[in-house]
Amino acid sequence: MRYIEDVVSLEFDEKLCNGCGMCAAVCPHAVFELVNRRASLADRGACMECGACARNCEQGAIRVRAGTGCASAVLSGMLSGGEPSCGCSGDKSKCPPDGAP
Amino acid sequence: MTTSTGDGAPTLERVDDPWVDGSLHTDAGDVPRVRTILSASDRLGSMKARWGIGRMDYRVTPGLYATGNPSAESPVLVSANYKMSFDRLRAVLHGRDAWILVLDTDGINVWCAAGKGTFGTDEIVRRVQSAALDRIVSHRTLIVPQLGAPGVSAHGVRRSCGFRVVYGPVRAADLPAFLDAGLKAQPEMRRVKFDLGDRVVLIPVEMVSGGRYALLVAAGLLLLGGLSSGGYSLAGVRTIGLTGAGLVLGAFLCSAVLGPVLLPWLPGRAFSVKGAVLGLVLIGALIAGGGLTDSRLHVAAWVFMVPTIASFIVMNFTGASTYTSLSGVVREMHFAVPAQIAGAVVGFGLWLTGLFVAGGLGL
Ligand code: SF4
Ligand code: SF4
């Protein structure tokens, strides 16, 4: 399954990368892969903007507008005039009740 | 159960919890040992939480726990204090000696809490220190679930408390294989999926959260159905009102169930488009099957309202999906929300008009 891809905010600066592999390890959608001991974008369009890669890249080579792709969060953000805020109590947003530890 | 934060002398109150079956003596105090076989009440609790019942209280006390007879070399696994996350973890550790470090995530599961930042770098560092983990284990490795990574900076944890973060697999079921392979995850274990089964378990909670709004709208139409140019009549409530309430609830239930089930096969990328298509098919099938015997104005009203309801319900399923980005959701809402408002206004307008003119104009 694929979502709207052309608006993904993920940016990667290859020059800063030291090939540690952290981004590839944390990404749940295999957006990064290591090629010749450097990260490269294997599937940018699959990015769900969870922010895991950017937060775990010590070199600061990755930028992404991290957030939760949740319509009701965006709606409540619009209504309260602020940022999208995930008002769910846990099971709803990006929270598969099954499988995830 | 208390919410003690622990302070080097781990909390003994926790031994009263039904999933604790003793305690383990360590240099840094006693650590509760948990069962690795889930009880009937653990399973019942999970089921209730899926239906949104009592899930706010579905939590365990944060702190360090043990499974089996862990030693200073045994692995440390980090978890959230949402009881379902904790249960899933201890169940796969059956027969293994390990430490479980439960973070305080307000009773919210790992992925969601990581997005909010409560499952995060600072909380890990705090718990490592309050449990005096450096006196309990001789190694310096924490196994953190991969889905916690949006909230955790591995290098930040290392800098603050000296522990190295290794990200474990996405699914708890893969943990034994991950541990046995020397903390190596197969690429498959790193991927989040959204299979039919994953989608179906999300249906109940979606239905409960949207259900009361659907009931409210249905009740509104039921009452309004009595209006007509000749005044208010109970006959109208029983015919037009009841039909309206039934269609609203039917559209809601069908979208809440069929939307998630048919997600990969509904056309379009935007969930709102998938929902609108589903709604058009539903209302089309109903009309073609002769199931809608209302006036023509009312049939026209439902051609607008059913796809609008379905579009909105399926759009809200973005929050439960495992692959939608914030930028994508904002993009689709940019066109979908105005369209949904227009659909609702036109549909409801036609329906109201139909109440007053249908008889007179023979529509
Ligand atoms: S985490 Fe950063 S430095 Fe490490 S491989 Fe990825 S981009 Fe390169
Ligand atoms: S933001 Fe999340 S989904 Fe996107 S590339 Fe980074 S880790 Fe992968």
Side-chain angles (χ1 to χ4, degrees):
Chain A
M1 272 171 283
R2 306 200 56 98
Y3 195 49
I4 303 164
E5 301 187 24
D6 51 353
V7 289
V8 164
S9 63
L10 182 73
E11 299 294 342
F12 166 56
D13 185 349
E14 208 181 350
K15 293 189 294 295
L16 297 174
C17 171
N18 68 4
C20 72
M22 217 48 178
C23 51
V26 295
C27 179
H29 291 293
V31 168
F32 288 93
E33 68 181 3
L34 285 187
V35 180
N36 300 327
R37 314 204 51 230
R38 279 284 177 283
S40 84
L41 285 171
D43 189 2
R44 186 170 179 272
C47 174
M48 63 176 292
E49 304 183 329
C50 70
C53 53
R55 191 176 288 269
N56 283 278
C57 176
E58 197 167 3
Q59 304 303 311
I62 302 171
R63 265 172 224 286
V64 64
R65 180 173 76 142
T68 311
C70 170
S72 49
V74 173
L75 258 187
S76 60
M78 267 157 53
L79 294 178
S80 66
E83 285 285 295
S85 69
C86 168
C88 78
S89 54
D91 252 356
K92 207 163 129 69
S93 189
K94 308 299 168 208
C95 302
D98 260 327
Chain B
M1 180 162 60
T2 71
T3 49
S4 160
T5 51
D7 50 13
T11 51
L12 279 173
E13 300 90 324
R14 292 180 289 161
V15 298
D16 294 335
D17 288 325
W19 47 86
V20 171
D21 75 345
S23 69
L24 206 84
H25 189 72
T26 74
D27 287 348
D30 289 344
V31 176
R33 178 173 34 215
V34 295
R35 298 170 206 279
T36 51
I37 295 179
L38 300 184
S39 68
S41 90
D42 292 329
R43 288 174 204 285
L44 182 70
S46 296
M47 215 152 75
K48 278 163 59 186
R50 291 229 168 90
W51 283 93
I53 305 166
R55 65 167 317 289
M56 295 307 290
D57 304 319
Y58 205 51
R59 51 181 77 191
V60 293
T61 309
L64 190 67
Y65 293 84
T67 63
N69 259 314
S71 68
E73 280 88 50
S74 300
V76 180
L77 299 130
V78 180
S79 183
N81 78 327
Y82 178 44
K83 182 154 180 292
M84 220 193 288
S85 309
F86 178 72
D87 281 0
R88 198 159 280 131
L89 177 58
R90 64 189 167 101
V92 300
L93 293 174
H94 183 63
R96 286 173 191 268
D97 303 325
W99 304 100
I100 301 178
L101 187 66
V102 176
L103 306 186
D104 186 355
T105 59
D106 280 328
I108 286 172
N109 77 35
V110 175
W111 207 6
C112 205
K116 293 174 196 277
T118 47
F119 189 104
T121 312
D122 295 348
E123 173 63 9
I124 290 183
V125 171
R126 252 196 314 274
R127 290 289 154 196
V128 162
Q129 283 162 355
S130 68
L133 200 60
D134 56 346
R135 285 162 56 201
I136 292 174
V137 295
S138 53
H139 62 79
R140 291 291 174 263
T141 301
L142 300 172
I143 301 170
V144 174
Q146 186 189 328
L147 293 186
V152 176
S153 144
H155 51 274
V157 171
R158 192 184 58 230
R159 274 186 212 137
S160 300
C161 67
F163 276 78
R164 181 175 71 111
V165 167
V166 174
Y167 287 107
V170 163
R171 283 163 293 275
D174 290 329
L175 250 180
F178 172 83
L179 292 171
D180 292 342
L183 311 192
K184 291 270 173 301
Q186 295 301 313
E188 197 48 27
M189 298 181 190
R190 297 238 170 266
R191 304 281 306 249
V192 159
K193 287 185 260 182
F194 206 37
D195 296 337
L196 183 61
D198 301 327
R199 301 196 300 274
V200 167
V201 293
L202 294 165
I203 292 173
V205 109
E206 290 286 306
M207 270 189 343
V208 172
S209 65
R212 59 196 136 145
Y213 302 108
L215 280 174
L216 256 158
V217 174
L221 291 193
L222 183 69
L223 292 178
L224 288 174
L227 288 174
S228 73
S229 46
Y232 196 81
S233 78
L234 277 182
V237 173
R238 272 199 301 272
T239 53
I240 298 175
L242 209 56
T243 306
L247 281 169
V248 165
L249 290 181
F252 167 71
L253 287 176
C254 285
S255 342
V257 173
L258 293 179
V261 168
L262 301 177
L263 197 68
W265 301 286
L266 289 169
R269 294 244 172 137
F271 281 37
S272 48
V273 171
K274 290 174 180 286
V277 171
L278 175 65
L280 280 171
V281 170
L282 288 173
I283 190 68
L286 193 68
I287 293 171
L292 200 60
T293 52
D294 289 29
S295 69
R296 271 187 241 166
L297 265 181
H298 275 178
V299 171
W302 291 112
V303 169
F304 282 93
M305 283 200 279
V306 171
T308 300
I309 294 171
S311 172
F312 186 73
I313 299 300
V314 179
M315 185 179 83
N316 271 306
F317 197 63
T318 50
S321 85
T322 59
Y323 68 100
T324 51
S325 63
L326 175 59
S327 300
V329 169
V330 168
R331 158 65 58 90
E332 79 164 273
M333 289 178 76
H334 199 70
F335 65 78
V337 172
Q340 286 162 356
I341 292 174
V345 168
V346 171
F348 186 62
L350 286 171
W351 189 81
L352 269 186
T353 314
L355 289 177
F356 293 98
V357 301
L361 296 180
L363 291 166

